Amino acid sequence: MSPNPAILDVDPGHDDAVALMMACGHPDLDLLAVTTVAGNVSLEKTTRNALRILSLIGHTRVPVAAGAAKPLQRALRTAEDIHGESGLDGLEIPETTFAPDERGAVALIADTLRASPEPVTLIPVGPLTNIALFLREHPELKEKVSHVSLMGGSIGLGNTTPAAEFNIYVDPEAAREVFASGLSITMCGLDVTHQAGAGPEERERLRSIGSAGTVTAGFLDFFAATYERVFGFDAPPLHDPVAVAAVLEPRLLTTRPMRVDIECESELTRGETVCDYHGVTGKPSNAEVGVGLDREGFFELLYDALDNL
Ligand code: RIB
Ligand code: CA
């Protein structure tokens, strides 16, 4: 089977960093481009971090372009409390060895889709601002998007407010436009990513997998400490790698077709992904929503991918 062409849209962030390494390490994914968005930290920092990760693992031929510095309408909300001031605190890694692509995120996505002989999978794992802007500016290229595997949302509780998961909370208007786009979407929400917690056992196994595994374990040790402090558990969820795994091995994710609407008006529940689990609205489904994860299979996939770096 030829590798799946894909674009990762990221806001590194520790789990984004692991998603980038997983995407680069697995032979069944052809990472054509990386775009960055403001989210966990500012755009300047998420772009610096994406470049540093790719430099660290020697994947400097992947173009990286910076996108939106703020959500479509709202002020930016960042997450230094989880990821630290740099967005990748906890492990010193060298500065980047290559520069960002001057075209910017939307133009890089458009050019990449135009140049690809086959449709491309989009894997957004931060706020959906870049994806919404791309769809606004290039509706004619929707046919070159084969699928969207996104990390965001939740059928149940949020992690940023009681109702909202961070990526959707930061830019609910962008999420509303993406879920209304008609594109084929897999929503990897907290219901499945919280099943991918990297506890001490998983982190020890990672340390046995060469340099990429050691780097990943180092990132996760910091991530674990902040998750312990903020949420009270020491197995930080590998949110973003789940969206990559859903592309590499879809069978790892159990999904259910649902109508997903995004709350944008209420300040109390802004950013909630209102998932019609029982089909009571009668509206057609617009996403395959993750409801279960093969945890063991996920971690074996991650270990295999990192072992290739
Ligand atoms: O809620 C978790 C999501 O928000 C992850 O993508 C994490 O990196 C942050 O962006
Ligand atoms: Ca992210």
Side-chain angles (χ1 to χ4, degrees):
M1 180 183 85
S2 60
N4 197 327
I7 296 172
L8 256 172
D9 184 70
V10 295
D11 65 328
H14 294 78
D15 54 326
D16 303 72
V18 181
L20 278 168
M21 291 195 279
M22 188 177 189
C24 290
H26 200 289
D28 291 349
L29 207 69
D30 180 11
L31 186 59
L32 300 177
V34 172
T35 52
T36 59
V37 66
N40 282 317
V41 287
S42 69
L43 179 67
E44 179 187 0
K45 292 179 180 176
T46 59
T47 305
R48 171 178 176 248
N49 291 338
L51 290 162
R52 290 198 293 161
I53 288 296
L54 292 172
S55 299
L56 184 70
I57 60 174
H59 283 248
T60 55
R61 296 167 60 88
V62 178
V64 176
K70 66 175 293 295
L72 294 181
Q73 294 178 19
R74 298 170 186 263
L76 175 62
R77 154 78 183 270
T78 52
E80 285 87 351
D81 59 326
I82 301 292
H83 297 278
E85 193 55 38
S86 73
L88 276 182
D89 282 17
L91 193 71
E92 281 311 310
I93 58 173
E95 284 310 320
T96 179
T97 59
F98 69 117
D101 188 302
E102 293 299 320
R103 284 174 283 183
V106 170
L108 179 57
I109 293 171
D111 288 350
T112 304
L113 294 185
R114 285 192 200 98
S116 175
E118 58 187 310
V120 175
T121 298
L122 301 183
I123 311 177
V125 293
L128 290 165
T129 319
N130 288 341
I131 310 303
L133 289 172
F134 161 73
L135 293 172
R136 285 182 179 181
E137 293 177 33
H138 298 283
E140 78 286 355
L141 289 173
K142 279 172 67 172
E143 63 188 16
K144 291 299 291 288
V145 177
S146 58
H147 186 62
V148 179
S149 179
L150 66 88
M151 193 282 137
S154 171
I155 300 169
L157 296 175
N159 62 358
T160 302
T161 71
E165 176 278 327
F166 180 80
N167 288 338
I168 311 300
Y169 177 82
V170 169
D171 199 341
E173 286 75 17
R176 176 184 275 178
E177 293 185 22
V178 172
F179 277 89
S181 66
L183 290 174
S184 163
I185 294 173
T186 297
M187 181 182 116
C188 304
L190 298 179
D191 319 276
V192 288
T193 67
H194 278 173
Q195 296 178 44
E201 186 181 326
E202 287 75 23
R203 299 200 301 271
E204 270 322 296
R205 172 76 184 274
L206 282 165
R207 278 185 246 279
S208 70
I209 304 174
S211 58
T214 302
V215 166
T216 299
F219 282 146
L220 296 180
D221 286 340
F222 176 88
F223 204 23
T226 60
Y227 254 79
E228 179 90 46
R229 186 179 73 251
V230 175
F231 296 103
F233 52 96
D234 77 339
L238 288 176
H239 301 289
D240 298 342
V242 171
V244 175
V247 175
L248 288 168
E249 285 190 38
R251 65 166 184 78
L252 292 176
L253 207 67
T254 303
T255 64
R256 184 182 173 108
M258 290 183 212
R259 172 69 185 207
V260 179
D261 285 300
I262 313 297
E263 175 56 58
C264 295
E265 275 63 54
S266 160
E267 273 315 299
L268 180 63
T269 57
R270 150 248 172 123
E272 180 175 11
T273 45
V274 182
C275 299
D276 185 3
Y277 187 93
H278 296 294
V280 295
T281 64
K283 294 180 182 176
S285 67
N286 57 352
E288 285 290 335
V289 178
V291 294
L293 178 72
D294 172 351
R295 172 184 164 80
E296 297 311 316
F298 166 77
F299 276 102
E300 286 308 316
L301 180 68
L302 173 65
Y303 300 146
D304 289 349
L306 295 178
D307 202 21
N308 290 328
L309 291 175

